[in-house]
mmCIF file of all heavy atoms in Angstrom:
data_model
loop_
_atom_site.group_PDB
_atom_site.id
_atom_site.type_symbol
_atom_site.label_atom_id
_atom_site.label_comp_id
_atom_site.label_asym_id
_atom_site.label_seq_id
_atom_site.Cartn_x
_atom_site.Cartn_y
_atom_site.Cartn_z
ATOM 1 N N LEU N 1 0.836 -1.205 0.000
ATOM 2 C CA LEU N 1 0.000 0.000 0.000
ATOM 3 C C LEU N 1 0.869 1.253 0.000
ATOM 4 O O LEU N 1 0.589 2.221 -0.718
ATOM 5 C CB LEU N 1 -0.921 -0.020 1.221
ATOM 6 C CG LEU N 1 -1.932 1.116 1.356
ATOM 7 C CD1 LEU N 1 -2.892 1.128 0.173
ATOM 8 C CD2 LEU N 1 -2.700 0.986 2.671
ATOM 9 N N ARG N 2 1.927 1.245 0.795
ATOM 10 C CA ARG N 2 2.855 2.382 0.841
ATOM 11 C C ARG N 2 3.494 2.637 -0.517
ATOM 12 O O ARG N 2 3.757 3.784 -0.903
ATOM 13 C CB ARG N 2 3.941 2.084 1.882
ATOM 14 C CG ARG N 2 5.078 3.083 1.946
ATOM 15 C CD ARG N 2 6.303 2.442 2.577
ATOM 16 N NE ARG N 2 6.822 1.349 1.754
ATOM 17 C CZ ARG N 2 7.655 0.413 2.202
ATOM 18 N NH1 ARG N 2 8.045 0.404 3.468
ATOM 19 N NH2 ARG N 2 8.077 -0.533 1.380
ATOM 20 N N ASP N 3 3.751 1.555 -1.270
ATOM 21 C CA ASP N 3 4.529 1.674 -2.510
ATOM 22 C C ASP N 3 3.707 1.963 -3.758
ATOM 23 O O ASP N 3 4.284 2.137 -4.837
ATOM 24 C CB ASP N 3 5.341 0.387 -2.733
ATOM 25 C CG ASP N 3 6.498 0.256 -1.754
ATOM 26 O OD1 ASP N 3 6.875 1.276 -1.148
ATOM 27 O OD2 ASP N 3 7.027 -0.866 -1.595
ATOM 28 N N TYR N 4 2.389 2.012 -3.652
ATOM 29 C CA TYR N 4 1.612 2.279 -4.868
ATOM 30 C C TYR N 4 1.922 3.653 -5.452
ATOM 31 O O TYR N 4 1.959 3.825 -6.679
ATOM 32 C CB TYR N 4 0.112 2.139 -4.593
ATOM 33 C CG TYR N 4 -0.367 0.709 -4.625
ATOM 34 C CD1 TYR N 4 -0.966 0.126 -3.514
ATOM 35 C CD2 TYR N 4 -0.211 -0.076 -5.766
ATOM 36 C CE1 TYR N 4 -1.401 -1.196 -3.534
ATOM 37 C CE2 TYR N 4 -0.642 -1.400 -5.801
ATOM 38 C CZ TYR N 4 -1.226 -1.946 -4.675
ATOM 39 O OH TYR N 4 -1.642 -3.254 -4.697
ATOM 40 N N CYS N 5 2.133 4.640 -4.614
ATOM 41 C CA CYS N 5 2.456 5.975 -5.129
ATOM 42 C C CYS N 5 3.813 5.986 -5.833
ATOM 43 O O CYS N 5 3.882 6.398 -6.996
ATOM 44 C CB CYS N 5 2.417 7.000 -3.997
ATOM 45 S SG CYS N 5 3.000 8.643 -4.483
ATOM 46 N N PRO N 6 4.906 5.535 -5.193
ATOM 47 C CA PRO N 6 6.180 5.516 -5.924
ATOM 48 C C PRO N 6 6.177 4.585 -7.123
ATOM 49 O O PRO N 6 6.790 4.888 -8.152
ATOM 50 C CB PRO N 6 7.198 5.070 -4.862
ATOM 51 C CG PRO N 6 6.408 4.430 -3.782
ATOM 52 C CD PRO N 6 5.078 5.136 -3.787
ATOM 53 N N ASN N 7 5.482 3.442 -7.039
ATOM 54 C CA ASN N 7 5.429 2.533 -8.187
ATOM 55 C C ASN N 7 4.722 3.165 -9.366
ATOM 56 O O ASN N 7 5.147 3.021 -10.524
ATOM 57 C CB ASN N 7 4.721 1.227 -7.802
ATOM 58 C CG ASN N 7 5.631 0.273 -7.053
ATOM 59 O OD1 ASN N 7 6.845 0.329 -7.192
ATOM 60 N ND2 ASN N 7 5.047 -0.606 -6.254
ATOM 61 N N ALA N 8 3.622 3.867 -9.110
ATOM 62 C CA ALA N 8 2.885 4.520 -10.193
ATOM 63 C C ALA N 8 3.741 5.602 -10.844
ATOM 64 O O ALA N 8 3.762 5.737 -12.074
ATOM 65 C CB ALA N 8 1.588 5.117 -9.652
ATOM 66 N N ASN N 9 4.460 6.371 -10.028
ATOM 67 C CA ASN N 9 5.338 7.399 -10.596
ATOM 68 C C ASN N 9 6.525 6.785 -11.310
ATOM 69 O O ASN N 9 6.994 7.329 -12.322
ATOM 70 C CB ASN N 9 5.804 8.350 -9.485
ATOM 71 C CG ASN N 9 4.764 9.388 -9.138
ATOM 72 O OD1 ASN N 9 4.526 10.331 -9.883
ATOM 73 N ND2 ASN N 9 4.107 9.206 -7.998
ATOM 74 N N TYR N 10 6.992 5.648 -10.823
ATOM 75 C CA TYR N 10 8.077 4.971 -11.531
ATOM 76 C C TYR N 10 7.613 4.505 -12.909
ATOM 77 O O TYR N 10 8.328 4.649 -13.910
ATOM 78 C CB TYR N 10 8.606 3.783 -10.725
ATOM 79 C CG TYR N 10 9.605 2.975 -11.504
ATOM 80 C CD1 TYR N 10 10.791 3.554 -11.946
ATOM 81 C CD2 TYR N 10 9.351 1.649 -11.850
ATOM 82 C CE1 TYR N 10 11.708 2.839 -12.690
ATOM 83 C CE2 TYR N 10 10.265 0.924 -12.597
ATOM 84 C CZ TYR N 10 11.435 1.518 -13.012
ATOM 85 O OH TYR N 10 12.337 0.818 -13.763
ATOM 86 N N ILE N 11 6.402 3.962 -12.987
ATOM 87 C CA ILE N 11 5.864 3.535 -14.275
ATOM 88 C C ILE N 11 5.782 4.717 -15.238
ATOM 89 O O ILE N 11 6.128 4.599 -16.419
ATOM 90 C CB ILE N 11 4.481 2.878 -14.081
ATOM 91 C CG1 ILE N 11 4.648 1.489 -13.441
ATOM 92 C CG2 ILE N 11 3.732 2.763 -15.401
ATOM 93 C CD1 ILE N 11 3.344 0.822 -13.063
ATOM 94 N N LEU N 12 5.346 5.859 -14.738
ATOM 95 C CA LEU N 12 5.263 7.038 -15.607
ATOM 96 C C LEU N 12 6.636 7.467 -16.102
ATOM 97 O O LEU N 12 6.816 7.758 -17.291
ATOM 98 C CB LEU N 12 4.595 8.191 -14.858
ATOM 99 C CG LEU N 12 3.075 8.141 -14.696
ATOM 100 C CD1 LEU N 12 2.572 9.412 -14.024
ATOM 101 C CD2 LEU N 12 2.376 7.935 -16.026
ATOM 102 N N THR N 13 7.621 7.513 -15.214
ATOM 103 C CA THR N 13 8.963 7.928 -15.659
ATOM 104 C C THR N 13 9.530 6.935 -16.663
ATOM 105 O O THR N 13 10.175 7.323 -17.639
ATOM 106 C CB THR N 13 9.931 8.069 -14.473
ATOM 107 O OG1 THR N 13 10.108 6.800 -13.824
ATOM 108 C CG2 THR N 13 9.435 9.085 -13.469
ATOM 109 N N LEU N 14 9.283 5.648 -16.449
ATOM 110 C CA LEU N 14 9.811 4.621 -17.344
ATOM 111 C C LEU N 14 9.172 4.734 -18.727
ATOM 112 O O LEU N 14 9.866 4.718 -19.756
ATOM 113 C CB LEU N 14 9.559 3.235 -16.749
ATOM 114 C CG LEU N 14 10.084 2.035 -17.534
ATOM 115 C CD1 LEU N 14 11.611 2.067 -17.620
ATOM 116 C CD2 LEU N 14 9.619 0.730 -16.892
ATOM 117 N N LEU N 15 7.846 4.861 -18.760
ATOM 118 C CA LEU N 15 7.144 4.910 -20.045
ATOM 119 C C LEU N 15 7.354 6.232 -20.772
ATOM 120 O O LEU N 15 7.533 6.243 -21.994
ATOM 121 C CB LEU N 15 5.648 4.659 -19.830
ATOM 122 C CG LEU N 15 5.248 3.271 -19.312
ATOM 123 C CD1 LEU N 15 3.740 3.200 -19.108
ATOM 124 C CD2 LEU N 15 5.710 2.172 -20.254
ATOM 125 N N LEU N 16 7.347 7.327 -20.041
ATOM 126 C CA LEU N 16 7.404 8.636 -20.680
ATOM 127 C C LEU N 16 8.834 9.111 -20.929
ATOM 128 O O LEU N 16 9.181 9.508 -22.041
ATOM 129 C CB LEU N 16 6.660 9.670 -19.836
ATOM 130 C CG LEU N 16 5.179 9.385 -19.573
ATOM 131 C CD1 LEU N 16 4.581 10.462 -18.672
ATOM 132 C CD2 LEU N 16 4.394 9.286 -20.868
ATOM 133 N N ASP N 17 9.666 9.066 -19.912
ATOM 134 C CA ASP N 17 11.010 9.628 -20.034
ATOM 135 C C ASP N 17 12.015 8.643 -20.619
ATOM 136 O O ASP N 17 12.925 9.048 -21.352
ATOM 137 C CB ASP N 17 11.498 10.105 -18.659
ATOM 138 C CG ASP N 17 10.613 11.193 -18.088
ATOM 139 O OD1 ASP N 17 10.691 12.334 -18.576
ATOM 140 O OD2 ASP N 17 9.830 10.914 -17.167
ATOM 141 N N ALA N 18 11.851 7.353 -20.297
ATOM 142 C CA ALA N 18 12.808 6.365 -20.806
ATOM 143 C C ALA N 18 12.387 5.827 -22.169
ATOM 144 O O ALA N 18 13.139 5.907 -23.135
ATOM 145 C CB ALA N 18 12.955 5.220 -19.804
ATOM 146 N N TYR N 19 11.174 5.291 -22.262
ATOM 147 C CA TYR N 19 10.733 4.671 -23.508
ATOM 148 C C TYR N 19 10.192 5.678 -24.515
ATOM 149 O O TYR N 19 10.005 5.348 -25.680
ATOM 150 C CB TYR N 19 9.673 3.613 -23.230
ATOM 151 C CG TYR N 19 10.182 2.423 -22.436
ATOM 152 C CD1 TYR N 19 9.283 1.621 -21.727
ATOM 153 C CD2 TYR N 19 11.534 2.102 -22.380
ATOM 154 C CE1 TYR N 19 9.729 0.527 -20.996
ATOM 155 C CE2 TYR N 19 11.982 1.009 -21.656
ATOM 156 C CZ TYR N 19 11.077 0.227 -20.961
ATOM 157 O OH TYR N 19 11.517 -0.857 -20.234
ATOM 158 N N LYS N 20 9.873 6.895 -24.062
ATOM 159 C CA LYS N 20 9.453 8.002 -24.934
ATOM 160 C C LYS N 20 8.013 7.898 -25.434
ATOM 161 O O LYS N 20 7.689 8.362 -26.530
ATOM 162 C CB LYS N 20 10.400 8.146 -26.148
ATOM 163 C CG LYS N 20 11.875 8.213 -25.786
ATOM 164 C CD LYS N 20 12.217 9.404 -24.920
ATOM 165 C CE LYS N 20 13.724 9.591 -24.732
ATOM 166 N NZ LYS N 20 14.384 8.497 -24.007
ATOM 167 N N PHE N 21 7.115 7.313 -24.634
ATOM 168 C CA PHE N 21 5.686 7.476 -24.923
ATOM 169 C C PHE N 21 5.298 8.911 -24.573
ATOM 170 O O PHE N 21 5.999 9.587 -23.809
ATOM 171 C CB PHE N 21 4.850 6.486 -24.107
ATOM 172 C CG PHE N 21 4.915 5.071 -24.605
ATOM 173 C CD1 PHE N 21 5.840 4.180 -24.060
ATOM 174 C CD2 PHE N 21 4.068 4.620 -25.603
ATOM 175 C CE1 PHE N 21 5.915 2.872 -24.520
ATOM 176 C CE2 PHE N 21 4.126 3.317 -26.063
ATOM 177 C CZ PHE N 21 5.059 2.440 -25.524
ATOM 178 N N ASN N 22 4.173 9.382 -25.102
ATOM 179 C CA ASN N 22 3.741 10.750 -24.844
ATOM 180 C C ASN N 22 2.219 10.839 -24.972
ATOM 181 O O ASN N 22 1.535 9.814 -25.151
ATOM 182 C CB ASN N 22 4.433 11.727 -25.808
ATOM 183 C CG ASN N 22 4.271 11.301 -27.263
ATOM 184 O OD1 ASN N 22 3.181 10.918 -27.686
ATOM 185 N ND2 ASN N 22 5.362 11.345 -28.029
ATOM 186 N N ASP N 23 1.705 12.059 -24.889
ATOM 187 C CA ASP N 23 0.248 12.259 -24.990
ATOM 188 C C ASP N 23 -0.306 11.704 -26.295
ATOM 189 O O ASP N 23 -1.421 11.184 -26.327
ATOM 190 C CB ASP N 23 -0.082 13.755 -24.901
ATOM 191 C CG ASP N 23 0.043 14.287 -23.486
ATOM 192 O OD1 ASP N 23 -0.873 14.043 -22.693
ATOM 193 O OD2 ASP N 23 1.059 14.938 -23.190
ATOM 194 N N GLY N 24 0.489 11.812 -27.359
ATOM 195 C CA GLY N 24 0.002 11.402 -28.669
ATOM 196 C C GLY N 24 -0.129 9.904 -28.854
ATOM 197 O O GLY N 24 -0.989 9.449 -29.612
ATOM 198 N N ASN N 25 0.697 9.107 -28.187
ATOM 199 C CA ASN N 25 0.630 7.658 -28.387
ATOM 200 C C ASN N 25 0.353 6.884 -27.100
ATOM 201 O O ASN N 25 0.490 5.665 -27.061
ATOM 202 C CB ASN N 25 1.919 7.142 -29.047
ATOM 203 C CG ASN N 25 3.168 7.491 -28.247
ATOM 204 O OD1 ASN N 25 3.096 7.767 -27.048
ATOM 205 N ND2 ASN N 25 4.312 7.500 -28.911
ATOM 206 N N TRP N 26 -0.019 7.586 -26.034
ATOM 207 C CA TRP N 26 -0.316 6.906 -24.770
ATOM 208 C C TRP N 26 -1.430 5.873 -24.950
ATOM 209 O O TRP N 26 -1.410 4.806 -24.336
ATOM 210 C CB TRP N 26 -0.704 7.938 -23.708
ATOM 211 C CG TRP N 26 -1.070 7.327 -22.386
ATOM 212 C CD1 TRP N 26 -2.322 7.067 -21.917
ATOM 213 C CD2 TRP N 26 -0.163 6.883 -21.376
ATOM 214 N NE1 TRP N 26 -2.258 6.491 -20.672
ATOM 215 C CE2 TRP N 26 -0.947 6.370 -20.313
ATOM 216 C CE3 TRP N 26 1.220 6.877 -21.265
ATOM 217 C CZ2 TRP N 26 -0.376 5.847 -19.149
ATOM 218 C CZ3 TRP N 26 1.792 6.366 -20.106
ATOM 219 C CH2 TRP N 26 1.004 5.856 -19.061
ATOM 220 N N ASN N 27 -2.402 6.191 -25.801
ATOM 221 C CA ASN N 27 -3.535 5.268 -25.980
ATOM 222 C C ASN N 27 -3.163 4.005 -26.742
ATOM 223 O O ASN N 27 -4.006 3.122 -26.940
ATOM 224 C CB ASN N 27 -4.705 5.981 -26.678
ATOM 225 C CG ASN N 27 -4.361 6.443 -28.084
ATOM 226 O OD1 ASN N 27 -3.205 6.387 -28.501
ATOM 227 N ND2 ASN N 27 -5.363 6.904 -28.817
ATOM 228 N N THR N 28 -1.907 3.874 -27.178
ATOM 229 C CA THR N 28 -1.480 2.616 -27.815
ATOM 230 C C THR N 28 -1.097 1.567 -26.778
ATOM 231 O O THR N 28 -0.810 0.423 -27.143
ATOM 232 C CB THR N 28 -0.277 2.856 -28.750
ATOM 233 O OG1 THR N 28 0.854 3.312 -27.982
ATOM 234 C CG2 THR N 28 -0.615 3.890 -29.807
ATOM 235 N N ILE N 29 -1.082 1.950 -25.500
ATOM 236 C CA ILE N 29 -0.726 1.004 -24.430
ATOM 237 C C ILE N 29 -1.993 0.447 -23.804
ATOM 238 O O ILE N 29 -2.869 1.201 -23.368
ATOM 239 C CB ILE N 29 0.115 1.682 -23.330
ATOM 240 C CG1 ILE N 29 1.332 2.403 -23.910
ATOM 241 C CG2 ILE N 29 0.571 0.657 -22.305
ATOM 242 C CD1 ILE N 29 2.097 3.228 -22.882
ATOM 243 N N SER N 30 -2.094 -0.877 -23.757
ATOM 244 C CA SER N 30 -3.194 -1.553 -23.050
ATOM 245 C C SER N 30 -2.612 -2.241 -21.824
ATOM 246 O O SER N 30 -1.695 -3.065 -21.956
ATOM 247 C CB SER N 30 -3.873 -2.581 -23.954
ATOM 248 O OG SER N 30 -4.468 -1.958 -25.069
ATOM 249 N N PHE N 31 -3.126 -1.899 -20.652
ATOM 250 C CA PHE N 31 -2.653 -2.514 -19.415
ATOM 251 C C PHE N 31 -3.511 -3.746 -19.162
ATOM 252 O O PHE N 31 -4.687 -3.640 -18.826
ATOM 253 C CB PHE N 31 -2.734 -1.515 -18.259
ATOM 254 C CG PHE N 31 -1.803 -0.347 -18.421
ATOM 255 C CD1 PHE N 31 -2.198 0.783 -19.135
ATOM 256 C CD2 PHE N 31 -0.533 -0.382 -17.881
ATOM 257 C CE1 PHE N 31 -1.333 1.857 -19.301
ATOM 258 C CE2 PHE N 31 0.342 0.682 -18.039
ATOM 259 C CZ PHE N 31 -0.052 1.807 -18.750
ATOM 260 N N MET N 32 -2.912 -4.927 -19.353
ATOM 261 C CA MET N 32 -3.666 -6.173 -19.335
ATOM 262 C C MET N 32 -2.959 -7.232 -18.495
ATOM 263 O O MET N 32 -1.729 -7.274 -18.436
ATOM 264 C CB MET N 32 -3.837 -6.709 -20.759
ATOM 265 C CG MET N 32 -4.496 -5.741 -21.732
ATOM 266 S SD MET N 32 -6.263 -5.533 -21.432
ATOM 267 C CE MET N 32 -6.873 -7.119 -21.998
ATOM 268 N N LYS N 33 -3.748 -8.095 -17.898
ATOM 269 C CA LYS N 33 -3.203 -9.264 -17.193
ATOM 270 C C LYS N 33 -3.281 -10.499 -18.064
ATOM 271 O O LYS N 33 -2.380 -11.346 -18.049
ATOM 272 C CB LYS N 33 -3.969 -9.510 -15.898
ATOM 273 C CG LYS N 33 -3.485 -10.744 -15.142
ATOM 274 C CD LYS N 33 -4.342 -11.047 -13.915
ATOM 275 C CE LYS N 33 -3.861 -12.315 -13.211
ATOM 276 N NZ LYS N 33 -4.711 -12.664 -12.051
ATOM 277 N N GLN N 34 -4.357 -10.621 -18.835
ATOM 278 C CA GLN N 34 -4.596 -11.830 -19.616
ATOM 279 C C GLN N 34 -4.971 -11.492 -21.056
ATOM 280 O O GLN N 34 -5.426 -10.390 -21.365
ATOM 281 C CB GLN N 34 -5.725 -12.666 -19.004
ATOM 282 C CG GLN N 34 -5.390 -13.350 -17.697
ATOM 283 C CD GLN N 34 -6.453 -14.354 -17.313
ATOM 284 O OE1 GLN N 34 -7.636 -14.198 -17.600
ATOM 285 N NE2 GLN N 34 -6.035 -15.425 -16.649
ATOM 286 N N ALA N 35 -4.774 -12.484 -21.917
ATOM 287 C CA ALA N 35 -5.287 -12.474 -23.280
ATOM 288 C C ALA N 35 -5.767 -13.890 -23.559
ATOM 289 O O ALA N 35 -5.080 -14.855 -23.236
ATOM 290 C CB ALA N 35 -4.213 -12.070 -24.277
ATOM 291 N N ALA N 36 -6.951 -14.021 -24.132
ATOM 292 C CA ALA N 36 -7.532 -15.338 -24.408
ATOM 293 C C ALA N 36 -7.553 -16.211 -23.153
ATOM 294 O O ALA N 36 -7.232 -17.396 -23.181
ATOM 295 C CB ALA N 36 -6.761 -16.033 -25.528
ATOM 296 N N ASN N 37 -7.916 -15.602 -22.034
ATOM 297 C CA ASN N 37 -8.037 -16.307 -20.749
ATOM 298 C C ASN N 37 -6.729 -16.947 -20.281
ATOM 299 O O ASN N 37 -6.745 -17.922 -19.535
ATOM 300 C CB ASN N 37 -9.131 -17.388 -20.826
ATOM 301 C CG ASN N 37 -10.502 -16.806 -21.086
ATOM 302 O OD1 ASN N 37 -10.890 -15.811 -20.479
ATOM 303 N ND2 ASN N 37 -11.237 -17.403 -22.011
ATOM 304 N N THR N 38 -5.626 -16.392 -20.712
ATOM 305 C CA THR N 38 -4.301 -16.894 -20.327
ATOM 306 C C THR N 38 -3.454 -15.732 -19.835
ATOM 307 O O THR N 38 -3.444 -14.662 -20.449
ATOM 308 C CB THR N 38 -3.611 -17.581 -21.520
ATOM 309 O OG1 THR N 38 -4.385 -18.723 -21.907
ATOM 310 C CG2 THR N 38 -2.206 -18.037 -21.163
ATOM 311 N N ASP N 39 -2.754 -15.930 -18.722
ATOM 312 C CA ASP N 39 -1.904 -14.877 -18.185
ATOM 313 C C ASP N 39 -0.801 -14.519 -19.169
ATOM 314 O O ASP N 39 -0.172 -15.403 -19.773
ATOM 315 C CB ASP N 39 -1.271 -15.320 -16.863
ATOM 316 C CG ASP N 39 -2.282 -15.378 -15.723
ATOM 317 O OD1 ASP N 39 -3.464 -15.068 -15.966
ATOM 318 O OD2 ASP N 39 -1.892 -15.731 -14.601
ATOM 319 N N ILE N 40 -0.567 -13.218 -19.333
ATOM 320 C CA ILE N 40 0.487 -12.755 -20.225
ATOM 321 C C ILE N 40 1.810 -12.747 -19.467
ATOM 322 O O ILE N 40 1.895 -12.269 -18.342
ATOM 323 C CB ILE N 40 0.184 -11.347 -20.752
ATOM 324 C CG1 ILE N 40 -1.162 -11.329 -21.477
ATOM 325 C CG2 ILE N 40 1.294 -10.866 -21.673
ATOM 326 C CD1 ILE N 40 -1.627 -9.932 -21.856
ATOM 327 N N GLY N 41 2.825 -13.263 -20.086
ATOM 328 C CA GLY N 41 4.158 -13.309 -19.492
ATOM 329 C C GLY N 41 5.061 -14.123 -20.393
ATOM 330 O O GLY N 41 4.668 -14.548 -21.482
ATOM 331 N N TRP N 42 6.263 -14.391 -19.931
ATOM 332 C CA TRP N 42 7.230 -15.091 -20.777
ATOM 333 C C TRP N 42 7.038 -16.604 -20.769
ATOM 334 O O TRP N 42 7.556 -17.306 -21.643
ATOM 335 C CB TRP N 42 8.657 -14.760 -20.329
ATOM 336 C CG TRP N 42 8.960 -15.170 -18.921
ATOM 337 C CD1 TRP N 42 8.842 -14.424 -17.795
ATOM 338 C CD2 TRP N 42 9.415 -16.457 -18.486
ATOM 339 N NE1 TRP N 42 9.178 -15.151 -16.686
ATOM 340 C CE2 TRP N 42 9.549 -16.404 -17.082
ATOM 341 C CE3 TRP N 42 9.737 -17.647 -19.141
ATOM 342 C CZ2 TRP N 42 9.976 -17.496 -16.316
ATOM 343 C CZ3 TRP N 42 10.157 -18.743 -18.386
ATOM 344 C CH2 TRP N 42 10.277 -18.659 -16.996
ATOM 345 N N THR N 43 6.295 -17.163 -19.798
ATOM 346 C CA THR N 43 6.288 -18.617 -19.586
ATOM 347 C C THR N 43 5.687 -19.392 -20.757
ATOM 348 O O THR N 43 6.216 -20.431 -21.152
ATOM 349 C CB THR N 43 5.532 -18.975 -18.294
ATOM 350 O OG1 THR N 43 4.227 -18.373 -18.318
ATOM 351 C CG2 THR N 43 6.278 -18.469 -17.078
ATOM 352 N N LEU N 44 4.582 -18.919 -21.312
ATOM 353 C CA LEU N 44 3.963 -19.641 -22.428
ATOM 354 C C LEU N 44 4.880 -19.617 -23.645
ATOM 355 O O LEU N 44 5.082 -20.639 -24.307
ATOM 356 C CB LEU N 44 2.600 -19.051 -22.773
ATOM 357 C CG LEU N 44 1.885 -19.672 -23.971
ATOM 358 C CD1 LEU N 44 1.713 -21.174 -23.790
ATOM 359 C CD2 LEU N 44 0.542 -18.995 -24.217
ATOM 360 N N GLY N 45 5.440 -18.457 -23.970
ATOM 361 C CA GLY N 45 6.365 -18.372 -25.101
ATOM 362 C C GLY N 45 7.575 -19.265 -24.909
ATOM 363 O O GLY N 45 8.073 -19.871 -25.864
ATOM 364 N N TYR N 46 8.036 -19.367 -23.677
ATOM 365 C CA TYR N 46 9.181 -20.223 -23.346
ATOM 366 C C TYR N 46 8.855 -21.684 -23.643
ATOM 367 O O TYR N 46 9.630 -22.393 -24.291
ATOM 368 C CB TYR N 46 9.507 -20.031 -21.869
ATOM 369 C CG TYR N 46 10.751 -20.714 -21.366
ATOM 370 C CD1 TYR N 46 12.018 -20.249 -21.722
ATOM 371 C CD2 TYR N 46 10.678 -21.784 -20.480
ATOM 372 C CE1 TYR N 46 13.172 -20.848 -21.224
ATOM 373 C CE2 TYR N 46 11.818 -22.393 -19.976
ATOM 374 C CZ TYR N 46 13.062 -21.916 -20.352
ATOM 375 O OH TYR N 46 14.192 -22.512 -19.842
#
């Protein structure tokens, strides 16, 4: 609970300042846990 504020700001700095997303392309990001009822991550591809 304490870390939600710093984590959220870290995500913003990473996406905006490091990866260079901006107001114009922010809507190209979908924050998702699953696709086709399967958790997204490296394990299935592995």
Side-chain angles (χ1 to χ4, degrees):
L1 184 61
R2 173 202 64 198
D3 288 342
Y4 278 121
C5 173
N7 280 335
N9 280 286
Y10 173 61
I11 287 173
L12 283 184
T13 63
L14 182 64
L15 295 178
L16 301 178
D17 299 286
Y19 295 158
K20 309 298 189 296
F21 285 94
N22 52 44
D23 285 282
N25 57 21
W26 178 262
N27 63 351
T28 63
I29 307 173
S30 297
F31 294 87
M32 304 287 288
K33 178 185 178 182
Q34 289 191 328
N37 297 315
T38 297
D39 288 0
I40 302 172
W42 61 267
T43 53
L44 177 56
Y46 186 72

